[in-house]
PDB file of all heavy atoms in Angstrom:
ATOM      1  N   GLN A1530     -29.091   4.944  -7.814  1.00 98.00           N
ATOM      2  CA  GLN A1530     -29.314   6.341  -7.755  1.00 98.00           C
ATOM      3  C   GLN A1530     -28.147   7.138  -8.300  1.00 98.00           C
ATOM      4  O   GLN A1530     -28.256   8.106  -8.971  1.00 98.00           O
ATOM      5  CB  GLN A1530     -29.644   6.843  -6.370  1.00 98.00           C
ATOM      6  CG  GLN A1530     -31.108   6.662  -5.925  1.00 98.00           C
ATOM      7  CD  GLN A1530     -31.260   7.124  -4.468  1.00 98.00           C
ATOM      8  OE1 GLN A1530     -30.258   7.044  -3.637  1.00 98.00           O
ATOM      9  NE2 GLN A1530     -32.418   7.575  -4.143  1.00 98.00           N
ATOM     10  N   ILE A1531     -26.957   6.654  -7.871  1.00 98.00           N
ATOM     11  CA  ILE A1531     -25.734   7.315  -8.321  1.00 98.00           C
ATOM     12  C   ILE A1531     -25.666   7.351  -9.832  1.00 98.00           C
ATOM     13  O   ILE A1531     -25.463   8.346 -10.479  1.00 98.00           O
ATOM     14  CB  ILE A1531     -24.493   6.708  -7.640  1.00 98.00           C
ATOM     15  CG1 ILE A1531     -24.434   7.041  -6.186  1.00 98.00           C
ATOM     16  CG2 ILE A1531     -23.182   7.102  -8.388  1.00 98.00           C
ATOM     17  CD1 ILE A1531     -23.380   6.338  -5.412  1.00 98.00           C
ATOM     18  N   ILE A1532     -25.931   6.175 -10.353  1.00 98.00           N
ATOM     19  CA  ILE A1532     -25.785   6.115 -11.849  1.00 98.00           C
ATOM     20  C   ILE A1532     -26.880   6.911 -12.545  1.00 98.00           C
ATOM     21  O   ILE A1532     -26.689   7.662 -13.528  1.00 98.00           O
ATOM     22  CB  ILE A1532     -25.783   4.621 -12.354  1.00 98.00           C
ATOM     23  CG1 ILE A1532     -24.555   3.964 -11.700  1.00 98.00           C
ATOM     24  CG2 ILE A1532     -25.608   4.596 -13.940  1.00 98.00           C
ATOM     25  CD1 ILE A1532     -24.360   2.537 -11.992  1.00 98.00           C
ATOM     26  N   ASP A1533     -28.145   6.853 -12.004  1.00 98.00           N
ATOM     27  CA  ASP A1533     -29.193   7.671 -12.526  1.00 98.00           C
ATOM     28  C   ASP A1533     -28.821   9.168 -12.601  1.00 98.00           C
ATOM     29  O   ASP A1533     -28.978   9.851 -13.543  1.00 98.00           O
ATOM     30  CB  ASP A1533     -30.500   7.578 -11.695  1.00 98.00           C
ATOM     31  CG  ASP A1533     -31.131   6.209 -11.866  1.00 98.00           C
ATOM     32  OD1 ASP A1533     -30.838   5.438 -12.752  1.00 98.00           O
ATOM     33  OD2 ASP A1533     -32.051   5.905 -10.973  1.00 98.00           O
ATOM     34  N   ARG A1534     -28.247   9.607 -11.455  1.00 98.00           N
ATOM     35  CA  ARG A1534     -27.813  10.989 -11.387  1.00 98.00           C
ATOM     36  C   ARG A1534     -26.716  11.353 -12.395  1.00 98.00           C
ATOM     37  O   ARG A1534     -26.678  12.434 -12.895  1.00 98.00           O
ATOM     38  CB  ARG A1534     -27.424  11.339  -9.941  1.00 98.00           C
ATOM     39  CG  ARG A1534     -28.560  11.378  -8.938  1.00 98.00           C
ATOM     40  CD  ARG A1534     -27.982  11.705  -7.591  1.00 98.00           C
ATOM     41  NE  ARG A1534     -28.946  11.705  -6.522  1.00 98.00           N
ATOM     42  CZ  ARG A1534     -28.833  12.276  -5.340  1.00 98.00           C
ATOM     43  NH1 ARG A1534     -27.667  12.932  -5.116  1.00 98.00           N
ATOM     44  NH2 ARG A1534     -29.711  12.158  -4.433  1.00 98.00           N
ATOM     45  N   MET A1535     -25.759  10.394 -12.508  1.00 98.00           N
ATOM     46  CA  MET A1535     -24.656  10.671 -13.468  1.00 98.00           C
ATOM     47  C   MET A1535     -25.244  10.784 -14.868  1.00 98.00           C
ATOM     48  O   MET A1535     -24.873  11.686 -15.640  1.00 98.00           O
ATOM     49  CB  MET A1535     -23.691   9.477 -13.458  1.00 98.00           C
ATOM     50  CG  MET A1535     -22.837   9.364 -12.206  1.00 98.00           C
ATOM     51  SD  MET A1535     -21.894   7.731 -12.250  1.00 98.00           S
ATOM     52  CE  MET A1535     -20.625   8.205 -13.413  1.00 98.00           C
ATOM     53  N   VAL A1536     -26.119   9.897 -15.211  1.00 98.00           N
ATOM     54  CA  VAL A1536     -26.662   9.829 -16.543  1.00 98.00           C
ATOM     55  C   VAL A1536     -27.409  11.183 -16.864  1.00 98.00           C
ATOM     56  O   VAL A1536     -27.205  11.837 -17.841  1.00 98.00           O
ATOM     57  CB  VAL A1536     -27.608   8.630 -16.736  1.00 98.00           C
ATOM     58  CG1 VAL A1536     -28.420   8.758 -18.054  1.00 98.00           C
ATOM     59  CG2 VAL A1536     -26.807   7.367 -16.710  1.00 98.00           C
ATOM     60  N   GLU A1537     -28.164  11.582 -15.877  1.00 98.00           N
ATOM     61  CA  GLU A1537     -28.983  12.811 -16.039  1.00 98.00           C
ATOM     62  C   GLU A1537     -28.051  14.040 -16.141  1.00 98.00           C
ATOM     63  O   GLU A1537     -28.269  14.864 -17.026  1.00 98.00           O
ATOM     64  CB  GLU A1537     -29.875  13.012 -14.774  1.00 98.00           C
ATOM     65  CG  GLU A1537     -31.180  13.672 -14.996  1.00 98.00           C
ATOM     66  CD  GLU A1537     -31.968  13.644 -13.782  1.00 98.00           C
ATOM     67  OE1 GLU A1537     -32.301  12.535 -13.244  1.00 98.00           O
ATOM     68  OE2 GLU A1537     -32.294  14.694 -13.251  1.00 98.00           O
ATOM     69  N   ALA A1538     -27.035  14.071 -15.281  1.00 98.00           N
ATOM     70  CA  ALA A1538     -26.136  15.178 -15.391  1.00 98.00           C
ATOM     71  C   ALA A1538     -25.382  15.225 -16.707  1.00 98.00           C
ATOM     72  O   ALA A1538     -25.147  16.332 -17.284  1.00 98.00           O
ATOM     73  CB  ALA A1538     -25.118  15.159 -14.207  1.00 98.00           C
ATOM     74  N   VAL A1539     -24.931  14.118 -17.205  1.00 98.00           N
ATOM     75  CA  VAL A1539     -24.193  14.051 -18.500  1.00 98.00           C
ATOM     76  C   VAL A1539     -25.104  14.504 -19.685  1.00 98.00           C
ATOM     77  O   VAL A1539     -24.737  15.292 -20.513  1.00 98.00           O
ATOM     78  CB  VAL A1539     -23.557  12.713 -18.733  1.00 98.00           C
ATOM     79  CG1 VAL A1539     -23.084  12.533 -20.097  1.00 98.00           C
ATOM     80  CG2 VAL A1539     -22.439  12.457 -17.720  1.00 98.00           C
ATOM     81  N   ARG A1540     -26.360  13.988 -19.621  1.00 96.00           N
ATOM     82  CA  ARG A1540     -27.276  14.342 -20.711  1.00 96.00           C
ATOM     83  C   ARG A1540     -27.638  15.811 -20.690  1.00 96.00           C
ATOM     84  O   ARG A1540     -27.830  16.414 -21.691  1.00 96.00           O
ATOM     85  CB  ARG A1540     -28.582  13.533 -20.606  1.00 96.00           C
ATOM     86  CG  ARG A1540     -28.248  12.025 -20.876  1.00 96.00           C
ATOM     87  CD  ARG A1540     -29.460  11.186 -21.282  1.00 96.00           C
ATOM     88  NE  ARG A1540     -29.050   9.891 -21.592  1.00 96.00           N
ATOM     89  CZ  ARG A1540     -29.658   8.720 -21.121  1.00 96.00           C
ATOM     90  NH1 ARG A1540     -30.793   8.869 -20.440  1.00 96.00           N
ATOM     91  NH2 ARG A1540     -29.258   7.576 -21.416  1.00 96.00           N
ATOM     92  N   ALA A1541     -27.695  16.401 -19.454  1.00 96.00           N
ATOM     93  CA  ALA A1541     -28.091  17.783 -19.379  1.00 96.00           C
ATOM     94  C   ALA A1541     -26.979  18.790 -19.580  1.00 96.00           C
ATOM     95  O   ALA A1541     -27.175  19.981 -19.627  1.00 96.00           O
ATOM     96  CB  ALA A1541     -28.720  18.037 -17.978  1.00 96.00           C
ATOM     97  N   ARG A1542     -25.751  18.292 -19.771  1.00 88.00           N
ATOM     98  CA  ARG A1542     -24.646  19.231 -19.755  1.00 88.00           C
ATOM     99  C   ARG A1542     -24.659  20.061 -21.062  1.00 88.00           C
ATOM    100  O   ARG A1542     -25.055  19.631 -22.103  1.00 88.00           O
ATOM    101  CB  ARG A1542     -23.298  18.521 -19.638  1.00 88.00           C
ATOM    102  CG  ARG A1542     -22.728  17.930 -20.828  1.00 88.00           C
ATOM    103  CD  ARG A1542     -21.549  17.091 -20.503  1.00 88.00           C
ATOM    104  NE  ARG A1542     -20.814  16.676 -21.684  1.00 88.00           N
ATOM    105  CZ  ARG A1542     -21.251  15.667 -22.556  1.00 88.00           C
ATOM    106  NH1 ARG A1542     -22.398  15.044 -22.349  1.00 88.00           N
ATOM    107  NH2 ARG A1542     -20.560  15.369 -23.572  1.00 88.00           N
TER     108      ARG A1542
END
Side-chain angles (χ1 to χ4, degrees):
Q1530 275 179 334
I1531 289 172
I1532 300 177
D1533 288 348
R1534 289 183 185 197
M1535 290 172 77
V1536 170
E1537 212 173 302
V1539 168
R1540 291 200 179 134
R1542 82 188 189 284

